[in-house]
Amino acid sequence: PSRSSAFFSPWFGMDPSDNLNLIQPVNPWGGSSWTAYTEYFQWSPERNSNSDSITCSAGDILHGSLVYSDSDDSYTLTQTNTNTGDASTQVVAAQSGKKYTVP
């Protein structure tokens, strides 16, 4: 078989009812190592934002969180490697007041 250029990345995420925005902690395999970070993707108008990557190893325990702040209508996305204490975080303003829901 031919080599694949597939991108393997376990994640969970949330999106608003129109499915045009996505917030998620991700854990991609880069071909030789694992990393972890958070991502915001908006389909219209298209926008993508990733927090800084942190390193992790097979067997590390990651803790991802998506926390809403009513005071400024934003979400704090965090991915933490509980083995090392390293964390990657970003704050994302809700687009036009959209609220995310757990499916």
Side-chain angles (χ1 to χ4, degrees):
S2 63
R3 263 189 98 115
S4 171
S5 61
F7 180 75
F8 179 70
S9 181
W11 61 276
F12 74 89
M14 295 186 345
D15 53 4
S17 61
D18 65 6
N19 295 316
L20 293 177
N21 310 73
L22 175 65
I23 54 176
Q24 60 184 356
V26 294
N27 176 216
W29 172 252
S32 61
S33 63
W34 292 97
T35 60
Y37 58 91
T38 67
E39 179 178 26
Y40 169 70
F41 189 82
Q42 174 180 296
W43 275 266
S44 181
E46 190 170 316
R47 176 176 170 234
N48 187 69
S49 174
N50 294 330
S51 60
D52 293 335
S53 292
I54 57 173
T55 59
C56 51
S57 300
D60 284 357
I61 297 172
L62 301 177
H63 179 262
S65 64
L66 312 169
V67 179
Y68 178 69
S69 171
D70 190 44
S71 65
D72 62 356
D73 197 26
S74 69
Y75 292 82
T76 299
L77 320 179
T78 304
Q79 179 82 292
T80 303
N81 182 330
T82 63
N83 293 73
T84 65
D86 292 339
S88 178
T89 301
Q90 68 175 314
V91 176
V92 175
Q95 182 191 29
S96 304
K98 292 181 181 181
K99 301 298 183 267
Y100 293 75
T101 56
V102 177

